[in-house]
Amino acid sequence: MHTLELILAEHAFFKGLEPRYMQLITGCASNVRFDARTYIFREGEAAERFYLIREGKVALETFAAERGSIVIETIEAGEVLGWSWLFPPYQWHFSARVVEPTLAIALDGVCLRNKCEEDHDLGYQLVKRVAQIMMQRLQATRLQLLDVYSFRA
C-alpha cells in the first residue's frame, strides 16, 4: 500500500522535489473521486484546489458564445488539473468536466499558498512547475483557437 506522501513524490509534477517539501505538501493533500458527467469546477468559480489525476479523464473546457463549450484539452492519469489556485484573483479560467470516473489527489491551494509564503524556496519550486502547466494549456488553447477559426474561413 502506498502512502499519500509516496504517491505525491512519485508523481511527475513533484518529481525531484526535496523530501522536506513533500512532507509539507502532503499535509495539504486528500484523495477525491468524481463521477462521469459532473464538473470538478466551473469557469469563474473560486479556485481553491488543484488536482493530480490518478485515474480517469477530465475535459478542460471554455465557453464561446457562438460555439458553446469547447474542449481545450483532455487531462488524464499522471497529469495535473488546475493552476488558478496560485495566482490572484484565484478564479478558474476554464471548466473541468469529468469524462469518465476519476480518482485524484486534491491539493488545498490556500494551504499551499500559506506554506509558500513561509518558505519562498518551496514557492519558487511550485511556481516553476505550474508555469510549465500554464505553457502547455496556452499551447492547447492556441491550437483550439486555430481550429475554431479555420471553420470560418
Side-chain angles (χ1 to χ4, degrees), residues 53-96:
I53 305 300
R54 297 187 64 205
E55 293 179 19
K57 291 183 183 178
V58 179
L60 201 57
E61 302 175 336
T62 192
F63 185 80
E66 295 178 9
R67 302 251 342 220
S69 289
I70 299 170
V71 176
I72 299 298
E73 187 175 3
T74 301
I75 312 299
E76 299 182 0
E79 296 182 291
V80 176
L81 175 64
W83 52 264
S84 300
W85 64 275
L86 189 53
F87 304 102
Y90 310 115
Q91 291 181 322
W92 293 117
H93 297 273
F94 300 106
S95 296

Side-chain angles (χ1 to χ4, degrees), residues 40-143:
I40 298 173
F41 53 79
R42 292 183 188 267
E43 191 172 344
E45 292 178 342
E48 299 171 345
R49 292 178 180 74
F50 78 104
Y51 304 88
L52 305 179
I53 305 300
R54 297 187 64 205
E55 293 179 19
K57 291 183 183 178
V58 179
L60 201 57
E61 302 175 336
T62 192
F63 185 80
E66 295 178 9
R67 302 251 342 220
S69 289
I70 299 170
V71 176
I72 299 298
E73 187 175 3
T74 301
I75 312 299
E76 299 182 0
E79 296 182 291
V80 176
L81 175 64
W83 52 264
S84 300
W85 64 275
L86 189 53
F87 304 102
Y90 310 115
Q91 291 181 322
W92 293 117
H93 297 273
F94 300 106
S95 296
R97 180 180 45 82
V98 181
V99 175
E100 60 186 46
T102 297
L103 298 176
I105 296 175
L107 291 121
D108 184 303
V110 174
C111 176
L112 283 175
R113 285 195 311 265
N114 289 336
K115 292 183 185 302
C116 290
E117 284 298 324
E118 294 169 9
D119 187 328
H120 290 179
D121 290 335
L122 171 61
Y124 178 66
Q125 291 300 318
L126 290 179
V127 166
K128 285 194 317 185
R129 287 166 164 76
V130 169
Q132 289 288 27
I133 295 166
M134 292 171 68
M135 289 299 299
Q136 292 168 1
R137 301 285 146 70
L138 184 60
Q139 290 290 24
T141 303
R142 179 180 160 274
L143 292 174

